[in-house]
Short mmCIF file of all heavy atoms in Angstrom, two decimals:
data_model
loop_
_atom_site.label_atom_id
_atom_site.label_comp_id
_atom_site.label_asym_id
_atom_site.label_seq_id
_atom_site.Cartn_x
_atom_site.Cartn_y
_atom_site.Cartn_z
N MET A 1 14.24 -23.07 -35.77
CA MET A 1 12.93 -22.69 -35.21
C MET A 1 13.06 -21.56 -34.26
O MET A 1 13.95 -21.55 -33.40
CB MET A 1 12.36 -23.93 -34.42
CG MET A 1 12.22 -25.19 -35.28
SD MET A 1 10.91 -25.09 -36.45
CE MET A 1 9.52 -25.66 -35.45
N LYS A 2 12.13 -20.61 -34.39
CA LYS A 2 12.19 -19.41 -33.51
C LYS A 2 10.80 -19.11 -33.00
O LYS A 2 9.78 -19.55 -33.59
CB LYS A 2 12.65 -18.17 -34.35
CG LYS A 2 14.01 -18.35 -35.02
CD LYS A 2 15.11 -18.12 -34.03
CE LYS A 2 16.44 -18.30 -34.72
NZ LYS A 2 17.56 -18.24 -33.80
N ALA A 3 10.73 -18.29 -31.96
CA ALA A 3 9.44 -17.89 -31.41
C ALA A 3 8.97 -16.59 -32.10
O ALA A 3 9.77 -15.70 -32.36
CB ALA A 3 9.60 -17.66 -29.89
N PHE A 4 7.66 -16.58 -32.36
CA PHE A 4 7.07 -15.39 -32.94
C PHE A 4 5.81 -15.00 -32.14
O PHE A 4 5.06 -15.88 -31.68
CB PHE A 4 6.63 -15.62 -34.42
CG PHE A 4 7.83 -15.82 -35.30
CD1 PHE A 4 8.37 -17.04 -35.51
CD2 PHE A 4 8.39 -14.70 -35.95
CE1 PHE A 4 9.48 -17.26 -36.33
CE2 PHE A 4 9.53 -14.88 -36.76
CZ PHE A 4 10.02 -16.13 -36.95
N ILE A 5 5.61 -13.70 -31.99
CA ILE A 5 4.45 -13.22 -31.22
C ILE A 5 3.39 -12.70 -32.17
O ILE A 5 3.69 -11.95 -33.07
CB ILE A 5 4.84 -12.07 -30.25
CG1 ILE A 5 5.74 -12.63 -29.15
CG2 ILE A 5 3.63 -11.42 -29.68
CD1 ILE A 5 6.17 -11.65 -28.10
N GLU A 6 2.17 -13.15 -31.98
CA GLU A 6 1.05 -12.60 -32.73
C GLU A 6 0.60 -11.36 -31.97
O GLU A 6 -0.06 -11.46 -30.93
CB GLU A 6 -0.06 -13.64 -32.82
CG GLU A 6 -0.97 -13.41 -33.98
CD GLU A 6 -2.01 -14.52 -34.19
OE1 GLU A 6 -1.63 -15.73 -33.95
OE2 GLU A 6 -3.16 -14.17 -34.48
N LYS A 7 0.97 -10.22 -32.52
CA LYS A 7 0.84 -8.95 -31.79
C LYS A 7 -0.62 -8.62 -31.40
O LYS A 7 -0.84 -8.07 -30.32
CB LYS A 7 1.38 -7.76 -32.60
CG LYS A 7 2.91 -7.65 -32.50
CD LYS A 7 3.38 -6.30 -32.97
CE LYS A 7 3.09 -6.07 -34.45
NZ LYS A 7 3.76 -4.88 -34.94
N ASN A 8 -1.54 -8.95 -32.25
CA ASN A 8 -2.90 -8.51 -31.97
C ASN A 8 -3.54 -9.33 -30.84
O ASN A 8 -4.62 -8.99 -30.37
CB ASN A 8 -3.81 -8.48 -33.24
CG ASN A 8 -3.86 -9.82 -33.89
OD1 ASN A 8 -3.34 -10.79 -33.38
ND2 ASN A 8 -4.56 -9.89 -35.05
N LYS A 9 -2.89 -10.42 -30.38
CA LYS A 9 -3.43 -11.20 -29.23
C LYS A 9 -2.66 -10.81 -27.96
O LYS A 9 -3.05 -11.21 -26.88
CB LYS A 9 -3.19 -12.65 -29.49
CG LYS A 9 -4.12 -13.32 -30.50
CD LYS A 9 -3.96 -14.78 -30.35
CE LYS A 9 -4.46 -15.56 -31.52
NZ LYS A 9 -3.97 -17.01 -31.45
N CYS A 10 -1.53 -10.12 -28.08
CA CYS A 10 -0.63 -9.89 -26.97
C CYS A 10 -1.09 -8.66 -26.16
O CYS A 10 -1.36 -7.58 -26.73
CB CYS A 10 0.76 -9.72 -27.47
SG CYS A 10 1.96 -9.24 -26.15
N ALA A 11 -1.10 -8.83 -24.79
CA ALA A 11 -1.52 -7.73 -23.93
C ALA A 11 -0.37 -6.73 -23.78
O ALA A 11 -0.58 -5.63 -23.25
CB ALA A 11 -1.88 -8.34 -22.56
N SER A 12 0.83 -7.06 -24.20
CA SER A 12 2.03 -6.17 -24.07
C SER A 12 2.11 -5.53 -22.69
O SER A 12 2.23 -4.30 -22.60
CB SER A 12 1.95 -5.11 -25.20
OG SER A 12 3.19 -4.41 -25.18
N ASP A 13 2.04 -6.34 -21.70
CA ASP A 13 2.10 -5.85 -20.31
C ASP A 13 3.31 -6.44 -19.64
O ASP A 13 3.29 -7.60 -19.25
CB ASP A 13 0.82 -6.18 -19.57
CG ASP A 13 0.73 -5.52 -18.22
OD1 ASP A 13 1.79 -5.17 -17.65
OD2 ASP A 13 -0.41 -5.36 -17.72
N SER A 14 4.34 -5.65 -19.46
CA SER A 14 5.61 -6.14 -18.91
C SER A 14 5.45 -6.62 -17.44
O SER A 14 6.23 -7.40 -16.95
CB SER A 14 6.71 -5.10 -19.02
OG SER A 14 6.34 -3.93 -18.32
N ARG A 15 4.42 -6.13 -16.73
CA ARG A 15 4.26 -6.48 -15.32
C ARG A 15 3.79 -7.88 -15.13
O ARG A 15 4.05 -8.54 -14.13
CB ARG A 15 3.25 -5.53 -14.65
CG ARG A 15 3.75 -4.10 -14.62
CD ARG A 15 2.61 -3.13 -14.28
NE ARG A 15 1.52 -3.30 -15.27
CZ ARG A 15 0.33 -2.69 -15.19
NH1 ARG A 15 0.09 -1.87 -14.19
NH2 ARG A 15 -0.56 -2.87 -16.15
N ILE A 16 3.04 -8.41 -16.11
CA ILE A 16 2.47 -9.75 -15.98
C ILE A 16 3.08 -10.79 -16.91
O ILE A 16 2.71 -11.94 -16.91
CB ILE A 16 0.93 -9.75 -16.27
CG1 ILE A 16 0.66 -9.18 -17.66
CG2 ILE A 16 0.22 -8.92 -15.18
CD1 ILE A 16 -0.65 -9.69 -18.25
N CYS A 17 4.02 -10.36 -17.74
CA CYS A 17 4.53 -11.19 -18.81
C CYS A 17 5.57 -12.19 -18.29
O CYS A 17 6.74 -11.84 -18.11
CB CYS A 17 5.07 -10.34 -19.93
SG CYS A 17 5.60 -11.35 -21.36
N LYS A 18 5.16 -13.45 -18.08
CA LYS A 18 6.11 -14.48 -17.64
C LYS A 18 7.17 -14.77 -18.69
O LYS A 18 8.35 -15.02 -18.36
CB LYS A 18 5.40 -15.75 -17.20
CG LYS A 18 4.66 -15.59 -15.90
CD LYS A 18 4.12 -16.93 -15.45
CE LYS A 18 3.33 -16.75 -14.17
NZ LYS A 18 2.58 -17.99 -13.83
N PRO A 19 6.80 -14.86 -19.98
CA PRO A 19 7.88 -15.14 -20.97
C PRO A 19 9.00 -14.06 -20.89
O PRO A 19 10.15 -14.40 -21.02
CB PRO A 19 7.12 -15.02 -22.29
CG PRO A 19 5.74 -15.42 -21.96
CD PRO A 19 5.46 -14.85 -20.59
N LEU A 20 8.60 -12.83 -20.69
CA LEU A 20 9.62 -11.76 -20.59
C LEU A 20 10.62 -12.04 -19.43
O LEU A 20 11.82 -11.88 -19.61
CB LEU A 20 8.88 -10.41 -20.34
CG LEU A 20 9.73 -9.20 -20.06
CD1 LEU A 20 10.49 -8.78 -21.32
CD2 LEU A 20 8.87 -8.02 -19.62
N LYS A 21 10.09 -12.50 -18.31
CA LYS A 21 10.91 -12.72 -17.14
C LYS A 21 11.72 -14.03 -17.26
O LYS A 21 12.78 -14.13 -16.74
CB LYS A 21 10.10 -12.69 -15.88
CG LYS A 21 9.52 -11.37 -15.55
CD LYS A 21 8.76 -11.38 -14.22
CE LYS A 21 8.18 -10.02 -13.91
NZ LYS A 21 7.10 -9.65 -14.83
N GLU A 22 11.12 -15.05 -17.92
CA GLU A 22 11.68 -16.37 -17.77
C GLU A 22 12.34 -16.94 -19.00
O GLU A 22 12.86 -18.03 -18.96
CB GLU A 22 10.57 -17.30 -17.25
CG GLU A 22 10.12 -16.83 -15.89
CD GLU A 22 9.22 -17.84 -15.19
OE1 GLU A 22 9.28 -19.02 -15.44
OE2 GLU A 22 8.44 -17.40 -14.32
N CYS A 23 12.38 -16.20 -20.07
CA CYS A 23 13.12 -16.69 -21.24
C CYS A 23 14.61 -16.88 -20.86
O CYS A 23 15.25 -15.92 -20.46
CB CYS A 23 13.04 -15.66 -22.36
SG CYS A 23 14.17 -16.07 -23.76
N PRO A 24 15.09 -18.12 -21.00
CA PRO A 24 16.45 -18.41 -20.56
C PRO A 24 17.51 -17.63 -21.37
O PRO A 24 18.59 -17.35 -20.90
CB PRO A 24 16.64 -19.91 -20.84
CG PRO A 24 15.25 -20.44 -21.01
CD PRO A 24 14.42 -19.32 -21.48
N GLN A 25 17.15 -17.21 -22.57
CA GLN A 25 18.11 -16.50 -23.42
C GLN A 25 17.96 -14.99 -23.32
O GLN A 25 18.65 -14.24 -24.02
CB GLN A 25 17.91 -16.88 -24.91
CG GLN A 25 18.02 -18.36 -25.18
CD GLN A 25 19.32 -18.96 -24.71
OE1 GLN A 25 20.37 -18.30 -24.85
NE2 GLN A 25 19.27 -20.20 -24.22
N LYS A 26 17.02 -14.52 -22.47
CA LYS A 26 16.70 -13.08 -22.37
C LYS A 26 16.44 -12.49 -23.75
O LYS A 26 16.91 -11.39 -24.11
CB LYS A 26 17.87 -12.33 -21.69
CG LYS A 26 18.22 -12.85 -20.29
CD LYS A 26 17.36 -12.26 -19.27
CE LYS A 26 17.72 -12.65 -17.84
NZ LYS A 26 16.80 -13.56 -17.23
N ALA A 27 15.70 -13.29 -24.56
CA ALA A 27 15.46 -12.85 -25.94
C ALA A 27 14.25 -11.96 -26.09
O ALA A 27 14.04 -11.36 -27.16
CB ALA A 27 15.27 -14.10 -26.84
N ILE A 28 13.44 -11.86 -25.02
CA ILE A 28 12.19 -11.10 -25.11
C ILE A 28 12.34 -9.74 -24.41
O ILE A 28 12.87 -9.72 -23.31
CB ILE A 28 11.03 -11.87 -24.49
CG1 ILE A 28 10.92 -13.28 -25.14
CG2 ILE A 28 9.68 -11.14 -24.67
CD1 ILE A 28 9.87 -14.17 -24.55
N SER A 29 11.84 -8.72 -25.06
CA SER A 29 11.93 -7.41 -24.42
C SER A 29 10.61 -6.69 -24.64
O SER A 29 9.83 -6.98 -25.56
CB SER A 29 13.13 -6.59 -24.95
OG SER A 29 13.05 -6.54 -26.36
N TRP A 30 10.40 -5.66 -23.78
CA TRP A 30 9.19 -4.85 -23.88
C TRP A 30 9.64 -3.49 -24.48
O TRP A 30 10.58 -2.88 -23.96
CB TRP A 30 8.60 -4.63 -22.50
CG TRP A 30 7.40 -3.77 -22.43
CD1 TRP A 30 6.10 -4.17 -22.72
CD2 TRP A 30 7.32 -2.39 -22.04
NE1 TRP A 30 5.25 -3.08 -22.55
CE2 TRP A 30 5.97 -2.00 -22.12
CE3 TRP A 30 8.26 -1.48 -21.64
CZ2 TRP A 30 5.56 -0.72 -21.84
CZ3 TRP A 30 7.85 -0.21 -21.36
CH2 TRP A 30 6.49 0.18 -21.45
N VAL A 31 8.98 -3.10 -25.55
CA VAL A 31 9.44 -1.87 -26.28
C VAL A 31 8.29 -0.89 -26.38
O VAL A 31 7.20 -1.22 -26.84
CB VAL A 31 9.86 -2.31 -27.72
CG1 VAL A 31 10.35 -1.11 -28.50
CG2 VAL A 31 10.91 -3.40 -27.69
N GLU A 32 8.56 0.35 -25.95
CA GLU A 32 7.55 1.39 -26.14
C GLU A 32 7.49 1.77 -27.60
O GLU A 32 8.53 1.89 -28.23
CB GLU A 32 7.89 2.60 -25.28
CG GLU A 32 7.60 2.40 -23.78
CD GLU A 32 7.84 3.66 -23.00
OE1 GLU A 32 8.98 3.87 -22.59
OE2 GLU A 32 6.88 4.38 -22.80
N ASP A 33 6.29 1.88 -28.12
CA ASP A 33 6.14 2.19 -29.56
C ASP A 33 4.82 2.86 -29.77
O ASP A 33 3.75 2.26 -29.68
CB ASP A 33 6.18 0.87 -30.36
CG ASP A 33 6.14 1.09 -31.84
OD1 ASP A 33 5.77 2.20 -32.31
OD2 ASP A 33 6.43 0.13 -32.59
N ASP A 34 4.84 4.17 -30.03
CA ASP A 34 3.61 4.96 -30.19
C ASP A 34 2.81 4.53 -31.40
O ASP A 34 1.61 4.85 -31.50
CB ASP A 34 3.97 6.47 -30.32
CG ASP A 34 4.45 7.01 -29.00
OD1 ASP A 34 4.13 6.37 -27.96
OD2 ASP A 34 5.13 8.05 -29.00
N ASP A 35 3.39 3.79 -32.33
CA ASP A 35 2.66 3.37 -33.52
C ASP A 35 1.79 2.12 -33.19
O ASP A 35 0.94 1.74 -34.03
CB ASP A 35 3.64 2.98 -34.61
CG ASP A 35 4.33 4.21 -35.19
OD1 ASP A 35 3.78 5.29 -35.05
OD2 ASP A 35 5.42 4.03 -35.74
N GLU A 36 1.99 1.51 -32.04
CA GLU A 36 1.16 0.34 -31.65
C GLU A 36 -0.08 0.82 -30.93
O GLU A 36 -0.03 1.77 -30.17
CB GLU A 36 1.94 -0.63 -30.76
CG GLU A 36 3.19 -1.19 -31.38
CD GLU A 36 2.84 -2.19 -32.50
OE1 GLU A 36 1.68 -2.64 -32.57
OE2 GLU A 36 3.70 -2.48 -33.30
N PRO A 37 -1.25 0.13 -31.10
CA PRO A 37 -2.46 0.52 -30.44
C PRO A 37 -2.33 0.58 -28.91
O PRO A 37 -2.91 1.45 -28.25
CB PRO A 37 -3.47 -0.58 -30.80
CG PRO A 37 -2.93 -1.18 -32.06
CD PRO A 37 -1.43 -1.01 -32.03
N LEU A 38 -1.49 -0.30 -28.32
CA LEU A 38 -1.31 -0.27 -26.89
C LEU A 38 -0.16 0.60 -26.41
O LEU A 38 0.11 0.71 -25.24
CB LEU A 38 -1.07 -1.73 -26.40
CG LEU A 38 -2.23 -2.72 -26.63
CD1 LEU A 38 -1.81 -4.14 -26.30
CD2 LEU A 38 -3.44 -2.35 -25.81
N GLY A 39 0.54 1.19 -27.37
CA GLY A 39 1.64 2.07 -27.05
C GLY A 39 2.94 1.32 -26.76
O GLY A 39 3.92 1.90 -26.37
N SER A 40 2.91 0.02 -26.90
CA SER A 40 4.10 -0.81 -26.70
C SER A 40 3.90 -2.15 -27.31
O SER A 40 2.80 -2.50 -27.75
CB SER A 40 4.36 -0.99 -25.19
OG SER A 40 3.27 -1.71 -24.63
N ARG A 41 4.99 -2.91 -27.39
CA ARG A 41 4.87 -4.29 -27.92
C ARG A 41 5.93 -5.12 -27.28
O ARG A 41 6.98 -4.61 -26.76
CB ARG A 41 5.03 -4.32 -29.45
CG ARG A 41 6.35 -3.73 -29.91
CD ARG A 41 6.38 -3.59 -31.45
NE ARG A 41 7.30 -2.55 -31.81
CZ ARG A 41 8.62 -2.69 -31.88
NH1 ARG A 41 9.16 -3.87 -31.60
NH2 ARG A 41 9.43 -1.69 -32.22
N MET A 42 5.74 -6.43 -27.27
CA MET A 42 6.77 -7.39 -26.85
C MET A 42 7.57 -7.75 -28.14
O MET A 42 7.01 -7.95 -29.19
CB MET A 42 6.20 -8.66 -26.26
CG MET A 42 5.15 -8.45 -25.17
SD MET A 42 5.65 -7.40 -23.82
CE MET A 42 7.00 -8.34 -23.13
N GLU A 43 8.88 -7.83 -27.92
CA GLU A 43 9.71 -8.12 -29.12
C GLU A 43 10.61 -9.32 -28.81
O GLU A 43 11.15 -9.40 -27.73
CB GLU A 43 10.55 -6.88 -29.43
CG GLU A 43 11.29 -6.95 -30.72
CD GLU A 43 11.87 -5.58 -31.05
OE1 GLU A 43 11.19 -4.76 -31.68
OE2 GLU A 43 13.05 -5.36 -30.67
N ILE A 44 10.74 -10.20 -29.82
CA ILE A 44 11.68 -11.32 -29.62
C ILE A 44 12.88 -11.13 -30.55
O ILE A 44 12.70 -10.95 -31.74
CB ILE A 44 10.96 -12.66 -29.96
CG1 ILE A 44 9.83 -12.87 -28.91
CG2 ILE A 44 11.98 -13.82 -29.87
CD1 ILE A 44 9.00 -14.14 -29.14
N ASP A 45 14.04 -11.15 -29.95
CA ASP A 45 15.27 -11.03 -30.72
C ASP A 45 15.62 -12.38 -31.33
O ASP A 45 15.95 -13.33 -30.64
CB ASP A 45 16.39 -10.58 -29.80
CG ASP A 45 17.71 -10.29 -30.54
OD1 ASP A 45 17.92 -10.93 -31.61
OD2 ASP A 45 18.50 -9.44 -30.06
N GLU A 46 15.49 -12.49 -32.63
CA GLU A 46 15.65 -13.79 -33.27
C GLU A 46 17.12 -14.27 -33.25
O GLU A 46 17.38 -15.45 -33.42
CB GLU A 46 15.09 -13.81 -34.69
CG GLU A 46 15.79 -12.85 -35.65
CD GLU A 46 15.20 -13.05 -37.06
OE1 GLU A 46 13.97 -13.19 -37.22
OE2 GLU A 46 16.01 -12.97 -38.01
N ASN A 47 18.00 -13.33 -32.98
CA ASN A 47 19.38 -13.74 -32.85
C ASN A 47 19.68 -14.42 -31.49
O ASN A 47 20.63 -15.18 -31.36
CB ASN A 47 20.33 -12.57 -33.02
CG ASN A 47 20.26 -11.99 -34.46
OD1 ASN A 47 20.30 -12.76 -35.40
ND2 ASN A 47 20.13 -10.67 -34.57
N LEU A 48 18.85 -14.09 -30.51
CA LEU A 48 19.05 -14.67 -29.17
C LEU A 48 18.17 -15.90 -28.98
O LEU A 48 18.54 -16.83 -28.23
CB LEU A 48 18.73 -13.64 -28.07
CG LEU A 48 19.68 -12.43 -28.00
CD1 LEU A 48 19.16 -11.44 -26.95
CD2 LEU A 48 21.08 -12.88 -27.62
N CYS A 49 16.97 -15.89 -29.56
CA CYS A 49 16.02 -17.01 -29.36
C CYS A 49 16.60 -18.32 -29.96
O CYS A 49 17.04 -18.36 -31.11
CB CYS A 49 14.69 -16.67 -30.05
SG CYS A 49 13.57 -18.05 -29.99
N ASP A 50 16.55 -19.40 -29.12
CA ASP A 50 17.01 -20.68 -29.61
C ASP A 50 15.84 -21.67 -29.85
O ASP A 50 16.07 -22.86 -30.06
CB ASP A 50 18.03 -21.31 -28.66
CG ASP A 50 17.45 -21.64 -27.27
OD1 ASP A 50 16.21 -21.51 -27.09
OD2 ASP A 50 18.21 -22.08 -26.38
N GLY A 51 14.60 -21.11 -29.81
CA GLY A 51 13.47 -21.97 -30.12
C GLY A 51 13.09 -23.00 -29.08
O GLY A 51 12.39 -23.96 -29.37
N CYS A 52 13.46 -22.79 -27.83
CA CYS A 52 13.26 -23.80 -26.77
C CYS A 52 11.75 -24.00 -26.52
O CYS A 52 11.37 -25.06 -26.05
CB CYS A 52 13.95 -23.37 -25.49
SG CYS A 52 13.21 -21.97 -24.67
N GLY A 53 10.94 -23.00 -26.74
CA GLY A 53 9.50 -23.17 -26.58
C GLY A 53 8.94 -22.91 -25.19
O GLY A 53 7.73 -22.98 -24.95
N ILE A 54 9.80 -22.58 -24.23
CA ILE A 54 9.36 -22.33 -22.86
C ILE A 54 8.27 -21.20 -22.82
O ILE A 54 7.27 -21.26 -22.10
CB ILE A 54 10.54 -21.95 -21.95
CG1 ILE A 54 11.40 -23.21 -21.73
CG2 ILE A 54 10.08 -21.32 -20.62
CD1 ILE A 54 12.71 -22.95 -20.98
N CYS A 55 8.49 -20.17 -23.60
CA CYS A 55 7.59 -19.00 -23.61
C CYS A 55 6.22 -19.37 -24.14
O CYS A 55 5.22 -18.73 -23.71
CB CYS A 55 8.17 -17.88 -24.47
SG CYS A 55 8.53 -18.41 -26.17
N VAL A 56 6.11 -20.37 -24.95
CA VAL A 56 4.78 -20.73 -25.53
C VAL A 56 3.81 -21.12 -24.40
O VAL A 56 2.67 -20.64 -24.31
CB VAL A 56 4.90 -21.87 -26.54
CG1 VAL A 56 3.54 -22.35 -26.99
CG2 VAL A 56 5.75 -21.43 -27.73
N ASP A 57 4.26 -21.94 -23.46
CA ASP A 57 3.45 -22.42 -22.36
C ASP A 57 3.22 -21.35 -21.32
O ASP A 57 2.22 -21.36 -20.63
CB ASP A 57 4.05 -23.65 -21.71
CG ASP A 57 4.01 -24.85 -22.61
OD1 ASP A 57 3.09 -24.94 -23.45
OD2 ASP A 57 4.90 -25.71 -22.48
N LEU A 58 4.17 -20.42 -21.17
CA LEU A 58 4.03 -19.36 -20.19
C LEU A 58 3.16 -18.19 -20.60
O LEU A 58 2.66 -17.45 -19.72
CB LEU A 58 5.45 -18.82 -19.86
CG LEU A 58 6.41 -19.75 -19.13
CD1 LEU A 58 7.77 -19.07 -18.98
CD2 LEU A 58 5.87 -20.15 -17.76
N CYS A 59 2.92 -18.06 -21.87
CA CYS A 59 2.17 -16.88 -22.37
C CYS A 59 0.68 -17.03 -22.00
O CYS A 59 0.01 -17.93 -22.48
CB CYS A 59 2.33 -16.71 -23.88
SG CYS A 59 1.30 -15.42 -24.52
N CYS A 60 0.21 -16.06 -21.24
CA CYS A 60 -1.22 -16.13 -20.79
C CYS A 60 -2.18 -15.87 -21.97
O CYS A 60 -3.34 -16.21 -21.90
CB CYS A 60 -1.44 -15.14 -19.65
SG CYS A 60 -1.19 -13.42 -20.17
N GLY A 61 -1.68 -15.25 -23.01
CA GLY A 61 -2.56 -14.89 -24.14
C GLY A 61 -2.49 -15.87 -25.30
O GLY A 61 -3.10 -15.68 -26.33
N HIS A 62 -1.71 -16.95 -25.14
CA HIS A 62 -1.54 -17.96 -26.18
C HIS A 62 -1.15 -17.30 -27.52
O HIS A 62 -1.73 -17.60 -28.56
CB HIS A 62 -2.79 -18.80 -26.38
CG HIS A 62 -3.23 -19.46 -25.09
ND1 HIS A 62 -2.53 -20.48 -24.51
CD2 HIS A 62 -4.29 -19.19 -24.30
CE1 HIS A 62 -3.12 -20.86 -23.42
NE2 HIS A 62 -4.18 -20.07 -23.25
N CYS A 63 -0.26 -16.34 -27.44
CA CYS A 63 0.03 -15.58 -28.68
C CYS A 63 1.46 -15.85 -29.23
O CYS A 63 1.85 -15.26 -30.20
CB CYS A 63 -0.11 -14.06 -28.40
SG CYS A 63 1.13 -13.39 -27.36
N ILE A 64 2.16 -16.80 -28.61
CA ILE A 64 3.52 -17.11 -29.07
C ILE A 64 3.52 -18.48 -29.77
O ILE A 64 2.95 -19.45 -29.26
CB ILE A 64 4.55 -17.09 -27.93
CG1 ILE A 64 4.48 -15.77 -27.17
CG2 ILE A 64 5.97 -17.27 -28.56
CD1 ILE A 64 5.48 -15.66 -26.05
N GLU A 65 4.12 -18.50 -30.92
CA GLU A 65 4.24 -19.73 -31.70
C GLU A 65 5.68 -19.96 -32.03
O GLU A 65 6.44 -19.05 -32.24
CB GLU A 65 3.53 -19.53 -33.05
CG GLU A 65 2.16 -20.10 -33.18
CD GLU A 65 1.69 -19.93 -34.61
OE1 GLU A 65 2.15 -20.67 -35.51
OE2 GLU A 65 0.88 -19.00 -34.85
N ILE A 66 6.04 -21.27 -32.14
CA ILE A 66 7.36 -21.62 -32.62
C ILE A 66 7.23 -22.06 -34.09
O ILE A 66 6.37 -22.88 -34.38
CB ILE A 66 7.97 -22.79 -31.80
CG1 ILE A 66 8.04 -22.46 -30.33
CG2 ILE A 66 9.35 -23.17 -32.39
CD1 ILE A 66 9.08 -21.48 -29.94
N LYS A 67 7.97 -21.44 -34.97
CA LYS A 67 7.87 -21.86 -36.37
C LYS A 67 9.18 -21.60 -37.12
O LYS A 67 10.04 -20.92 -36.61
CB LYS A 67 6.69 -21.19 -37.06
CG LYS A 67 6.63 -19.69 -37.00
CD LYS A 67 5.30 -19.22 -37.59
CE LYS A 67 5.19 -17.71 -37.45
NZ LYS A 67 3.92 -17.17 -37.90
S1 SF4 B 1 2.26 -13.24 -21.46
FE1 SF4 B 1 1.93 -13.35 -23.68
S2 SF4 B 1 0.14 -12.08 -24.06
FE2 SF4 B 1 0.95 -11.50 -22.08
S3 SF4 B 1 2.33 -9.80 -22.46
FE3 SF4 B 1 3.58 -11.65 -22.43
S4 SF4 B 1 3.69 -12.35 -24.59
FE4 SF4 B 1 2.02 -10.84 -24.43
S1 SF4 B 2 11.58 -19.96 -27.55
FE1 SF4 B 2 12.90 -19.97 -25.72
S2 SF4 B 2 14.58 -18.67 -26.22
FE2 SF4 B 2 13.00 -18.21 -27.72
S3 SF4 B 2 11.89 -16.44 -26.83
FE3 SF4 B 2 10.83 -18.34 -26.15
S4 SF4 B 2 11.72 -18.85 -24.15
FE4 SF4 B 2 13.10 -17.36 -25.19
#
């Protein structure tokens, strides 16, 4: 089981993103990407994510799912 972000719901704001700060595995990162409407995206490294689910409750946009 891994965490996935539904990008079109995500604010992609590293200043307010609790999952980014609090993921125990440091699996979440903020990536600048000119191809995204917001100019950036949150990315989850599936090799680091252990599926703990902590980020699901911390996400203010309810955009992270474990599957
Ligand atoms: S808290 Fe959720 S919606 Fe907000 S930036 Fe982080 S992953 Fe995206
Ligand atoms: S499920 Fe756990 S390890 Fe994976 S991204 Fe979320 S907080 Fe990090």
Side-chain angles (χ1 to χ4, degrees):
M1 302 288 273
K2 302 282 179 186
F4 292 89
I5 292 183
E6 203 174 321
K7 278 197 296 189
N8 58 5
K9 287 192 197 167
C10 174
S12 188
D13 188 336
S14 59
R15 295 165 303 176
I16 57 153
C17 184
K18 287 188 183 170
L20 175 68
K21 292 184 180 68
E22 297 191 25
C23 169
Q25 305 302 324
K26 303 275 184 251
I28 306 176
S29 53
W30 179 81
V31 181
E32 285 186 273
D33 184 344
D34 289 339
D35 291 336
E36 296 292 343
L38 297 172
S40 64
R41 59 188 155 80
M42 309 307 297
E43 190 169 273
I44 297 178
D45 184 332
E46 62 177 41
N47 294 315
L48 293 176
C49 175
D50 65 5
C52 71
I54 289 172
C55 56
V56 174
D57 291 332
L58 291 176
C59 174
C60 62
H62 306 288
C63 70
I64 307 181
E65 259 185 77
I66 303 288
K67 54 187 177 184

